[in-house]
């Protein structure tokens, strides 16, 4: 009796899950990669084709012995989807470091997947290359009228994603780049990056480098939030609508124009932020410089920086900055004592 009751109860629960609407099942399947989502087709006739209409697709090479096998999987899977269904989100993750892999083992699935996603109005794209040495994206792949959110993540400074310097992504609102290299054949050109991303609002650059380019020129009329982290490339920031700026351990940044900036967070070991812009709306400032004593010139650079942020309402400084400012004040005071014959501490 108990055994029969248990079977009936299991059947009822199974029916409840199968009776869920497609969009809710799609939401559940979005938490697993597409390989495992396909395996649910063996559950029943209800589940046989439901994966083919998933709007969110997660491709991962984890579980594939070789990247060439993963490439074949991606190539054969895309034609099996319901071609009438748009793709709202695509995630592509390369794991491992396959010593037998060829360039095409990575380039082919990337190109096929991006071509498919862009032709099906993808809005969100996330590509991660974990321990894969290099992926190079041709300029033609960065052309989409629908893409709103893009994240590209390399593995380390030795494993970069290579991209062209300018993209045609007019709907893009959020861009996150980590371990990415921009390359171009013209070494004398000052590039206004992201100039063809008219709706870009939020930009994060972490460990980004240039090849064949002189410098970053982040000049964007609508950008409201900018984060720069772990970089050494020269960057000029010209952003009239920028509200929030975060800079962490990026050593060569020149803030030229950001008249609407309201929040500034700056961290570095010893470099001082170079500001020539007027910041009349700045309200919140957090500055942390850890080793000001390494370079004596920083003593005199710190004061002009603080003068630029004199009208803020909320100011946070680390103890080293307070010590340096106090030292500069005392030394200036001492030098003005014309009759001083002896000074000691």
């Amino acid at each position: 009796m108990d055994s029969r009751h248990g079977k009936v109860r299991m059947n009822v629960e199974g029916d409840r899950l199968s009776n869920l609407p497609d969009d809710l099942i799609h939401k559940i399947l979005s938490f697993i990669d597409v390989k495992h989502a396909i395996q649910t087709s063996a559950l029943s006739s209800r589940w046989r084709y439901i994966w083919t209409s998933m709007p969110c697709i997660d491709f991962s090479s984890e579980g594939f012995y070789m990247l060439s096998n993963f490439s074949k999987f991606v190539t054969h899977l895309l034609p099996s989807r319901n071609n009438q269904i748009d793709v709202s989100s695509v995630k592509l993750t390369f794991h491992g470091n396959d010593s037998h892999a060829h360039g095409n083992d990575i380039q082919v699935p990337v190109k096929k997947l991006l071509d498919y996603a862009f032709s099906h109005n993808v809005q969100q794209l996330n590509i991660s290359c974990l321990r894969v040495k290099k992926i190079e994206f041709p300029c033609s792949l960065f052309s989409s009228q629908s893409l709103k959110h893009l994240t590209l993540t390399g593995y380390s400074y030795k494993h970069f994603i290579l991209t062209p310097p300018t993209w045609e992504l007019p709907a893009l609102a959020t861009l996150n780049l980590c371990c990415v290299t921009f390359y171009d054949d013209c070494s004398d050109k000052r590039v206004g990056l992201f100039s063809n991303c008219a709706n870009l609002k939020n930009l994060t650059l972490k460990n980004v480098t240039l090849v064949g380019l002189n410098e970053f020129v982040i000049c964007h009329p609508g950008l409201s939030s900018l984060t720069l982290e772990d970089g050494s490339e020269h960057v000029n920031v010209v952003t009239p609508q920028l509200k929030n700026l975060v800079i962490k351990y990026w050593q060569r940044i020149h803030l030229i124009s950001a008249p609407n900036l309201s929040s500034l967070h700056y961290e570095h070991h010893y470099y001082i932020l170079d500001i020539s812009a007027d910041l009349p709306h700045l309200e919140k400032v957090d500055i942390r410089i850890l080793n000001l004593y390494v370079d004596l010139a920083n003593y005199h650079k710190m004061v002009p920086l603080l003068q630029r942020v004199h009208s803020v309402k909320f100011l946070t400084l680390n103890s080293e900055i307070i010590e340096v400012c106090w030292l500069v004040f005392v030394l200036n005071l001492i030098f003005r004592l014309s009759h001083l014959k002896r000074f000691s501490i």
Side-chain angles (χ1 to χ4, degrees):
M1 182 68 178
D2 291 339
S3 178
R4 289 196 302 271
H5 178 73
K7 290 181 180 179
V8 171
R9 182 176 180 182
M10 289 177 63
N11 288 335
V12 170
E13 291 176 350
D15 289 339
R16 287 178 178 174
L17 185 58
S18 296
N19 288 331
L20 292 174
D22 284 5
D23 57 348
L24 189 52
I25 295 179
H26 289 155
K27 181 66 176 178
I28 295 172
L29 294 179
S30 69
F31 291 100
I32 60 177
D33 65 67
V34 68
K35 181 180 179 181
H36 292 97
I38 292 174
Q39 292 173 351
T40 64
S41 62
L43 294 176
S44 67
S45 58
R46 168 76 173 93
W47 291 77
R48 185 175 180 181
Y49 298 108
I50 198 165
W51 69 269
T52 65
S53 58
M54 290 174 56
C56 301
I57 313 175
D58 183 352
F59 288 92
S60 174
S61 68
E62 189 173 23
F64 289 86
Y65 180 69
M66 299 177 66
L67 283 177
S68 58
N69 294 335
F70 176 62
S71 177
K72 293 177 182 177
F73 171 74
V74 174
T75 301
H76 288 91
L77 179 140
L78 294 176
S80 301
R81 288 194 78 254
N82 185 337
N83 202 44
Q84 304 301 315
I85 302 298
D86 280 347
V87 180
S88 62
S89 174
V90 171
K91 183 178 180 181
L92 176 62
T93 306
F94 291 97
H95 293 268
N97 189 2
D98 189 350
S99 59
H100 302 290
H102 300 283
N104 284 341
D105 294 336
I106 298 176
Q107 302 300 135
V108 169
V110 168
K111 185 179 187 310
K112 287 185 177 293
L113 183 55
L114 292 187
D115 283 343
Y116 184 89
F118 290 163
S119 66
H120 287 74
N121 301 313
V122 66
Q123 297 185 27
Q124 184 169 341
L125 179 62
N126 188 321
I127 299 179
S128 299
C129 307
L130 307 180
R131 295 191 297 257
V132 176
K133 288 186 177 180
K134 182 176 73 171
I135 289 184
E136 182 173 345
F137 290 144
C139 189
S140 60
L141 293 185
F142 287 91
S143 180
S144 169
Q145 300 297 313
S146 62
L147 189 63
K148 295 181 179 179
H149 308 283
L150 174 61
T151 297
L152 298 179
T153 305
Y155 177 65
S156 71
Y157 69 95
K158 294 181 179 179
H159 302 80
F160 279 95
I161 299 173
L162 302 181
T163 75
T166 56
W167 308 337
E168 296 288 341
L169 300 171
L172 193 68
T174 302
L175 177 60
N176 301 307
L177 302 177
C178 178
C179 293
V180 170
T181 294
F182 294 97
Y183 66 90
D184 189 52
D185 295 332
C186 182
S187 59
D188 295 328
K189 184 170 63 177
R190 287 166 52 92
V191 175
L193 297 171
F194 324 116
S195 59
N196 294 327
C197 304
N199 287 293
L200 188 62
K201 301 298 181 185
N202 305 294
L203 174 62
T204 298
L205 303 179
K206 182 177 180 180
N207 202 354
V208 171
T209 59
L210 303 173
V211 173
L213 304 173
N214 288 337
E215 61 184 13
F216 282 114
V217 180
I218 301 180
C219 180
H220 198 285
L223 195 67
S224 61
S225 179
L226 174 62
T227 297
L228 302 171
E229 186 172 354
D230 295 332
S232 59
E233 303 291 351
H234 187 87
V235 178
N236 288 335
V237 179
V238 183
T239 49
Q241 297 301 319
L242 193 68
K243 300 291 186 182
N244 303 300
L245 176 60
V246 177
I247 303 171
K248 295 183 178 181
Y249 307 104
W250 196 306
Q251 63 191 40
R252 293 192 294 171
I253 296 178
H254 186 192
L255 187 59
I256 298 175
S257 176
N260 289 295
L261 192 69
S262 61
S263 176
L264 170 64
H265 181 102
Y266 182 78
E267 292 184 35
H268 206 280
H269 294 297
Y270 48 86
Y271 279 100
I272 306 296
L273 179 62
D274 183 9
I275 299 178
S276 61
D278 292 325
L279 305 172
H281 300 292
L282 194 61
E283 294 186 355
K284 183 178 180 181
V285 172
D286 188 343
I287 301 176
R288 303 174 186 275
I289 302 175
L290 303 180
N291 298 298
L292 272 173
Y293 297 107
V294 172
D295 186 354
L296 293 177
N298 285 329
Y299 290 5
H300 302 286
K301 293 178 181 178
M302 195 66 239
V303 174
L305 174 60
L306 294 178
Q307 290 175 339
R308 285 287 183 183
V309 301
H310 65 89
S311 61
V312 299
K313 297 179 181 179
F314 306 95
L315 177 62
T316 302
L317 304 174
N318 62 314
S319 58
E320 285 83 356
I321 294 177
I322 301 298
E323 292 172 2
V324 166
C325 291
W326 175 250
L327 178 61
V328 171
F329 171 77
V330 171
L331 291 177
N332 286 335
L333 179 62
I334 291 172
F335 292 148
R336 291 176 183 176
L337 300 177
S338 58
H339 301 290
L340 184 68
K341 294 183 179 180
R342 180 179 177 182
F343 171 73
S344 62
I345 298 179

